[in-house]
Amino acid sequence: AGVSALALSSSFTGHADSDRFSEKKKFENQLHEKEIRLENEVVKLSQKASIHSITELFSENPGQYTQLYSESGFVLLVYEHDTLKFWSDNSPAVENQLKNDASAGDEHLLKLRNGWFEIIRSKSPDSGKNCLGLLLIKNDYPYQNSYLQNDFQKQFSLPAETRISKGNASDAFAILNHSGNYLFTLKFSEISQPASPLSNWASLLALAGILLLIIGLLFLYSNVLVEKKYRTLFFVLSLIAFRFLMIKLHWPSALYNT
């Protein structure tokens, strides 16, 4: 009975995990749509940069560039001989490290002082100019106030408590770009997902299962396996081993997700 209760609690917990996988998939789809839009903007900028001067790029429709960042979190940059020559918005804290990223082409995620950005690249043909697009994923300020908040870009639907971390493509919540390259891993916060009736039932079932297992051990040691003088010792050792496994394996998961 104890094992059955614990198994049932785990099946309820799986429902919460399923919700998070849905959130992850929705976020990834939103990201891929934005990547394709930004790639088109970078290609257009690259074509313009091949025939226009930097001064002409700055004078061309600055209002549209400002809206690109405020609405979509897009920033367009032009590097010429490793020097930043053009920027569509000065909100991101673009640092010297981006010089190497502009030419290297092997990094897809960039952490600046004020946020996490994906990099989109395009080289302007025969002009010596490297054109980049930065896609804001999440703000990450050194400090927060009523104006500066560490939220995801507003077109994403993830809660602000969700963290971005570097892992690998095998992580459960790994995020890949639309070309299949690993970007980062989402770390969901427990407080971002309110307890549901199912998770409450899962916790109760887990506690009931543990209690029934303890009663079962008492019955087993009292009537079957152990001489009387060793019963208490074996029972305590069993409880310690059981607790160690619970901590090590985060099992039953219902008690660690609430």
Side-chain angles (χ1 to χ4, degrees):
V3 173
S4 298
L6 289 170
L8 190 56
S9 76
S10 296
S11 69
F12 285 169
T13 306
H15 183 271
D17 290 338
S18 175
D19 288 344
R20 285 179 175 155
F21 277 110
S22 296
E23 283 189 79
K24 176 252 185 186
K25 190 62 181 175
K26 181 179 179 181
F27 170 80
E28 208 168 42
N29 289 337
Q30 292 170 334
L31 179 64
H32 293 172
E33 291 176 4
K34 290 168 71 71
E35 287 170 346
I36 293 170
R37 287 174 49 210
L38 181 55
E39 282 177 354
N40 291 333
E41 293 290 342
V42 173
V43 168
K44 286 192 291 185
L45 178 65
S46 178
Q47 292 169 346
K48 292 175 184 176
S50 66
I51 57 176
H52 294 295
S53 69
I54 296 298
T55 303
E56 289 172 327
L57 290 179
F58 270 115
S59 63
E60 183 187 57
N61 204 353
Q64 178 189 2
Y65 288 140
T66 302
Q67 189 176 14
L68 274 178
Y69 187 74
S70 62
E71 293 300 317
S72 301
F74 294 167
V75 180
L76 300 175
L77 306 171
V78 177
Y79 279 84
E80 189 171 18
H81 306 302
D82 285 340
T83 301
L84 180 62
K85 293 291 190 178
F86 171 83
W87 53 93
S88 62
D89 196 285
N90 60 6
S91 297
V94 178
E95 300 165 348
N96 289 334
Q97 70 189 73
L98 201 55
K99 292 180 183 178
N100 296 327
D101 289 325
S103 57
D106 57 352
E107 289 294 327
H108 304 282
L109 185 70
L110 183 68
K111 174 64 172 69
L112 297 178
R113 291 197 306 271
N114 59 352
W116 291 90
F117 294 82
E118 183 181 354
I119 309 173
I120 305 293
R121 298 175 177 82
S122 176
K123 188 165 186 177
S124 182
D126 303 323
S127 68
K129 297 171 184 173
N130 287 314
C131 301
L132 281 79
L134 298 183
L135 190 165
L136 174 63
I137 296 169
K138 186 181 182 182
N139 294 305
D140 191 357
Y141 299 105
Y143 60 89
Q144 298 186 75
N145 55 36
S146 56
Y147 301 101
L148 304 177
Q149 296 291 321
N150 291 341
D151 297 326
F152 281 86
Q153 201 277 329
K154 64 183 180 180
Q155 292 178 338
F156 294 125
S157 55
L158 286 174
E161 296 83 7
T162 306
R163 294 183 293 111
I164 290 174
S165 68
K166 292 295 288 182
N168 56 67
S170 63
D171 294 337
F173 299 111
I175 298 299
L176 310 181
N177 64 16
H178 76 92
S179 299
N181 298 304
Y182 173 79
L183 294 176
F184 55 87
T185 297
L186 294 176
K187 297 289 185 182
F188 288 98
S189 170
E190 302 304 337
I191 63 174
S192 68
Q193 184 164 334
S196 65
L198 276 180
S199 64
N200 291 333
W201 275 110
S203 299
L204 289 173
L205 282 169
L207 290 172
I210 291 171
L211 181 60
L212 288 171
L213 282 176
I214 292 172
I215 293 172
L217 285 174
L218 275 172
F219 176 81
L220 199 62
Y221 290 148
S222 298
N223 297 282
V224 182
L225 292 180
V226 183
E227 294 183 20
K228 186 174 182 179
K229 61 180 179 179
Y230 296 122
R231 286 174 187 170
T232 301
L233 175 62
F234 274 81
F235 179 68
V236 171
L237 290 175
S238 297
L239 289 182
I240 292 173
F242 184 59
R243 180 58 181 151
F244 174 80
L245 289 174
M246 287 177 64
I247 295 171
K248 191 73 174 176
L249 302 176
H250 274 212
W251 179 85
S253 56
L255 298 181
Y256 291 88
N257 291 336
T258 56

